[in-house]
């Protein structure tokens, strides 16, 4: 009965003004500091200077999802203008993601900001925290019925759009850069079929990889850890190519 009441509280929490772990809603003392201590477990200043710079160079300059948009531009001016526009749009997550997440920790101190490992395990099956349920908690508990469905539809549409871009970019890289080397005189119809097969293979690999992703405590941390391995060599290759004119 106790476990069931905890789960029900996570789905429909009571008055959060008196939370069991209300102190967890208080941000740390260095929350507003960009250059944190080297001993910080969040993001030390070394990672803020070097890590974010490398990741940003990899994402904005070499990631196929971004570059493909530039290659589809009418001319160089349109390509540069599109990147500048995307830069300003990229600032919106501060209000669309960060601030709502901070509000969720305060509004749902007993669930999203759970401070006990055993309680977090019962609420969201994770001992490190339940920040992954912040957005669903806001949508399900604060929005009216019609708006809930609309927001969930927007979230699903955004997810499908991102996956479509990734799969399309990956299939394009394989068909243009690899398959054409194997079969240089292949026809467009063959490239289209190969691209579709590659997408199906990638979907299968993605589904098979889900259990491995679930082993991670936080989805965002897992994505960043994978990026941390992939971004540095790609960034180094890109910077080397920029300054090595014979290439």
């Amino acid at each position: 009965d106790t476990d069931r009441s905890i789960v029900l509280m996570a789905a429909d929490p009571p008055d959060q003004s008196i939370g069991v772990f209300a102190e967890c809603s208080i941000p740390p003392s260095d929350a507003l500091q960009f250059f944190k201590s080297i001993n910080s477990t969040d993001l030390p200043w070394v990672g803020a200077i070097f890590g974010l710079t490398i990741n940003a160079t990899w994402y904005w300059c070499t990631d196929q999802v971004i570059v493909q948009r530039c290659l589809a531009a009418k001319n160089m001016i349109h390509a540069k203008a599109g990147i500048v526009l995307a830069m300003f749009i990229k600032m919106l997550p501060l209000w669309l993601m960060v601030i709502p997440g901070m509000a969720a920790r305060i509004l749902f101190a007993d669930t999203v900001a759970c401070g006990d490992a055993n309680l977090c395990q019962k609420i969201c099956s994770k001992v490190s925290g339940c920040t992954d349920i912040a957005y669903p908690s806001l949508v399900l508990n604060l929005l009216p019925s019609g708006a809930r469905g609309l927001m969930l539809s927007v979230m699903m549409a955004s997810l499908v759009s991102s996956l479509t871009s990734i799969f399309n970019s990956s299939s394009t890289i394989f068909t243009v850069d690899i398959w054409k080397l194997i079969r240089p005189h292949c026809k467009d119809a063959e490239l289209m079929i190969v691209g579709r097969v590659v997408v199906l293979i990638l979907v299968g690999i993605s589904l098979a990889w889900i259990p491995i992703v679930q082993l991670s405590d936080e989805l965002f941390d897992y994505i960043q850890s994978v990026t941390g391995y992939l971004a540095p060599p790609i960034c180094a290759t890109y910077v080397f190519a920029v300054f090595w004119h014979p290439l």
Side-chain angles (χ1 to χ4, degrees), residues 42-75:
D42 188 10
L43 183 63
W45 65 268
V46 178
I49 295 177
F50 299 102
L52 294 182
T53 301
I54 293 174
N55 286 350
T57 303
W58 159 74
Y59 182 77
W60 287 105
C61 299
T62 66
D63 189 81
Q64 181 68 9
V65 176
I66 302 298
V67 175
Q68 191 172 14
R69 270 63 177 174
C70 298
L71 298 177
K74 182 178 180 180
N75 50 48

Side-chain angles (χ1 to χ4, degrees), residues 135 138-140 142-154:
Y135 180 77
L138 290 172
V139 173
L140 296 177
L142 298 182
L143 296 180
S145 299
R148 294 177 190 173
L150 179 62
M151 289 302 298
L152 292 177
S153 300
V154 170

Side-chain angles (χ1 to χ4, degrees), residues 27-38 40 42-45 48 52:
S29 58
D30 61 347
L32 299 180
Q33 295 180 7
F34 184 78
F35 298 104
K36 302 181 185 298
S37 170
I38 190 66
S40 174
D42 188 10
L43 183 63
W45 65 268
L52 294 182

Side-chain angles (χ1 to χ4, degrees), residues 1 28 30 88 95-96 124 127 151 168 198 216 226-227 230 243:
D1 294 338
D30 61 347
F88 285 103
W95 290 272
L96 299 179
C124 61
V127 297
M151 289 302 298
N168 182 57
V198 170
S216 176
V226 174
T227 302
L230 298 178
F243 291 99

